[in-house]
């Protein structure tokens, strides 16, 4: 038993070592000129300077009403400790990634205790992912949210144990889930997931108390937080229920929501396949150039960009292969979710179910919203590959089928490492060439 536990620790240590190496080599010291990271940093600086919850980068410094406060408050605490050092602040994302890997290991070993190698392979695919490496050195909120949400799921799993009072792990689970939602609102899926998971485990006190505590913790902010749309300012709830430009023109009520769900379902299914192996569009080795536009020579028609035409051109060689590879990977991930379902389902499964349900009604589909699910998607991928190989056992024999399955997992890991090494090596070259330059120049 001791040697088995020692082997488990060595697998986790190896994954963490690879994660640290890849994140260090692909570290992006500069601040991205666009995106949410600059807004998070300015809000954190406003809190530290005593200005309050204001947009100090906007003339007049209006009160911030859109961003949820969890991540700026965390950055403000870090600034108070390490100062306004961009590199040190970015390292918090790397540490969040390492902590998320360790917690995901504990969670997967509890949900699927059959083999430590399965959990290790799934998490290795997670760290050898271009998106993971990128977010491990940026000031986006996703990596910190992944850490908190997985910690909440670990606590939920412990709260389902019958040999301990519900509050021992139920209260920490509620606090962690509420903290995760304050970082990213898509964590709202944790509330129904907690109820469904605990109720099906017949932990009735926890099933009602944990979601109730989460809701109570969120009430001060949910109705105050607003979203900016073309129609003006709306609360988070009203913005989710309102019609947007992406919805079917002229549709309202059930027709609008039905169209939105179908559109979002197709978009996120494709995004899941694209995300799980670091953008499988790179698998195509054909030239990534569009066909000449039909309207006028050398000019895009109807104001469409060349990249837009390339994405929408079904006749261009290579696009079909890349798109089909994404659908195939998404289907394998879905199969993995099915074959790993045990009894009433795990906290992981219910969290994914309600996250997808939330994304189906979200007005604006974004593939990056699936990133917090990536550690579980890669685990599903490994489980599905091994399950499919196991179905060949009656013809190949169990030993050969098992070797075939692990060969498939090895190919997936090698492909992920190849694709990620491209972006990591490019970032390393940039860092070497830009030595001595300031990371950012505040104006």
């Amino acid at each position: 038993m001791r040697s088995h536990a020692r082997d488990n620790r060595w697998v986790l240590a190896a994954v963490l070592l690879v994660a640290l190496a890849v994140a260090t080599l692909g570290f992006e010291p500069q601040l991205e000129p666009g995106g949410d990271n600059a807004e998070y940093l300015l809000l954190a600086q406003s809190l530290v300077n005593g200005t309050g919850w204001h947009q100090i980068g906007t003339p007049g410094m209006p009160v911030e009403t859109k961003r949820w406060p969890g991540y700026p408050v965390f950055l403000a605490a870090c600034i108070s400790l390490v100062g306004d050092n961009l590199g040190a602040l970015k390292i918090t994302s790397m540490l969040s990634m390492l902590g998320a890997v360790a917690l995901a290991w504990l969670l997967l070993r509890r949900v699927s205790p059959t083999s430590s190698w399965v959990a290790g392979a799934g998490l290795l695919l997670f760290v050898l992912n271009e998106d993971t490496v990128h977010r491990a050195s940026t000031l986006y909120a996703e990596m910190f949210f992944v850490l908190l949400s997985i910690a909440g799921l670990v606590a939920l799993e412990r709260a389902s144990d019958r040999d301990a009072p519900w509050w021992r792990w139920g209260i920490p689970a509620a606090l962690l889930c509420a903290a995760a939602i304050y970082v990213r609102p898509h964590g709202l899926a944790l509330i129904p997931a907690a109820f469904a998971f605990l109720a099906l485990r017949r932990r009735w006190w926890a099933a009602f108390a944990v979601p109730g505590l989460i809701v109570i913790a969120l009430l001060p902010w949910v109705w105050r937080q607003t979203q900016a749309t073309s129609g003006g300012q709306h609360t988070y709830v009203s913005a989710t229920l309102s019609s947007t430009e992406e919805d079917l023109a002229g549709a309202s009520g059930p027709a609008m929501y039905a169209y939105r769900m179908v559109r979002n379902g197709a978009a996120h299914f494709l995004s899941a396949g694209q995300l799980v192996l670091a953008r499988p569009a790179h698998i195509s080795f054909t030239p990534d150039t569009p066909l000449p536009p039909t309207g006028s020579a050398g000019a895009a028609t109807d104001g469409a960009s060349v990249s837009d035409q390339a994405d929408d051109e079904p006749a261009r060689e290579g696009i079909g292969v890349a798109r089909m590879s994404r659908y195939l990977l998404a289907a394998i991930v879905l199969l993995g979710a099915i074959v790993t379902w045990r009894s009433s389902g795990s906290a992981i499964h219910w969290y994914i179910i309600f996250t997808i349900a939330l994304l189906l009604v979200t007005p604006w589909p974004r593939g990056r919203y699936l990133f917090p699910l990536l550690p579980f998607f890669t685990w599903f991928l490994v489980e599905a590959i091994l399950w499919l190989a196991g179905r060949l056992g009656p013809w190949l024999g169990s030993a050969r089928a098992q070797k075939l399955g692990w060969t498939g997992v090895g190919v997936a890991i090698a492909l992920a490492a190849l694709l990620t090494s491209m972006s990591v090596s490019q970032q390393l070259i940039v860092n070497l060439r830009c030595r001595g330059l300031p990371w950012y120049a505040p104006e």
Side-chain angles (χ1 to χ4, degrees), residues 135-266:
R135 297 184 187 280
S137 60
T138 60
L139 293 181
Y140 292 114
E142 278 81 3
M143 197 59 74
F144 189 51
F145 172 76
V146 172
L147 173 66
L148 292 176
S149 60
I150 294 180
L153 292 175
V154 172
L156 281 175
E157 283 283 348
R158 295 293 182 90
S160 67
D161 292 339
R162 294 182 176 275
D163 57 352
W166 72 269
W167 49 264
R168 180 175 298 176
W169 285 100
I171 293 178
L175 295 177
L176 288 168
C177 291
I181 298 170
Y182 268 111
V183 173
R184 293 289 295 174
H186 293 94
L188 288 168
L190 288 165
I191 299 175
F195 175 79
F197 170 68
L198 294 172
L200 290 174
R201 296 293 178 95
R202 300 184 182 276
R203 297 284 285 171
W204 297 110
W205 274 103
F208 288 96
V210 172
L213 290 173
I214 298 174
V215 171
I216 292 173
L218 295 177
L219 283 179
W221 185 258
V222 170
W223 295 105
R224 176 172 180 253
Q225 194 262 353
T226 60
Q227 295 284 336
T229 67
S230 58
Q233 296 284 339
H234 307 277
T235 65
Y236 180 80
V237 176
S238 63
T240 301
L241 299 178
S242 64
S243 177
T244 66
E245 295 177 359
E246 287 84 358
D247 289 320
L248 187 62
S252 61
M256 181 192 72
Y257 293 117
Y259 172 78
R260 180 187 293 181
M261 291 174 68
V262 172
R263 179 202 67 201
N264 289 0

Side-chain angles (χ1 to χ4, degrees), residues 23-321:
T24 302
L25 293 175
F27 189 77
E28 303 175 18
Q30 69 280 358
L31 183 68
E32 292 189 11
D36 300 340
N37 63 141
E39 294 186 32
Y40 287 134
L41 184 59
L42 288 174
L43 285 171
Q45 290 174 337
S46 178
L47 293 173
V48 172
N49 296 337
T51 313
W53 192 244
H54 289 268
Q55 303 173 12
I56 60 176
T58 303
M61 295 193 305
V63 175
E64 173 63 37
T65 58
K66 179 181 179 181
R67 300 295 172 192
W68 288 59
Y71 193 57
V73 170
F74 170 72
L75 285 180
C78 294
I79 290 175
S80 64
L81 293 176
V82 301
D84 194 10
N85 187 313
L86 186 61
L89 294 177
K90 281 172 168 280
I91 289 177
T92 60
S93 294
M94 184 187 300
L95 295 177
S96 296
M97 185 262 284
L98 296 175
V101 170
L103 288 173
W105 168 269
L106 296 176
L107 185 59
L108 295 181
R109 292 293 294 139
R110 177 185 173 90
V111 173
S112 180
T114 53
S115 173
S116 61
W117 292 100
V118 174
L123 292 177
L124 193 59
L125 282 173
F126 169 64
V127 301
L128 291 176
N129 187 285
E130 182 179 350
D131 217 15
T132 302
V133 176
H134 171 66
R135 297 184 187 280
S137 60
T138 60
L139 293 181
Y140 292 114
E142 278 81 3
M143 197 59 74
F144 189 51
F145 172 76
V146 172
L147 173 66
L148 292 176
S149 60
I150 294 180
L153 292 175
V154 172
L156 281 175
E157 283 283 348
R158 295 293 182 90
S160 67
D161 292 339
R162 294 182 176 275
D163 57 352
W166 72 269
W167 49 264
R168 180 175 298 176
W169 285 100
I171 293 178
L175 295 177
L176 288 168
C177 291
I181 298 170
Y182 268 111
V183 173
R184 293 289 295 174
H186 293 94
L188 288 168
L190 288 165
I191 299 175
F195 175 79
F197 170 68
L198 294 172
L200 290 174
R201 296 293 178 95
R202 300 184 182 276
R203 297 284 285 171
W204 297 110
W205 274 103
F208 288 96
V210 172
L213 290 173
I214 298 174
V215 171
I216 292 173
L218 295 177
L219 283 179
W221 185 258
V222 170
W223 295 105
R224 176 172 180 253
Q225 194 262 353
T226 60
Q227 295 284 336
T229 67
S230 58
Q233 296 284 339
H234 307 277
T235 65
Y236 180 80
V237 176
S238 63
T240 301
L241 299 178
S242 64
S243 177
T244 66
E245 295 177 359
E246 287 84 358
D247 289 320
L248 187 62
S252 61
M256 181 192 72
Y257 293 117
Y259 172 78
R260 180 187 293 181
M261 291 174 68
V262 172
R263 179 202 67 201
N264 289 0
H268 288 302
F269 187 77
L270 186 64
S271 297
Q274 180 174 349
L275 179 68
V276 73
L277 268 186
R279 302 177 185 178
H282 298 168
I283 295 175
S284 176
F285 292 100
T286 56
D288 192 21
T289 54
L291 292 176
T294 56
S296 59
T301 58
D302 298 330
S305 65
V306 172
S307 60
D308 291 338
Q309 286 189 347
D311 291 337
D312 297 333
E313 180 55 64
R316 185 175 65 81
E317 185 180 4
I319 279 292
V321 175

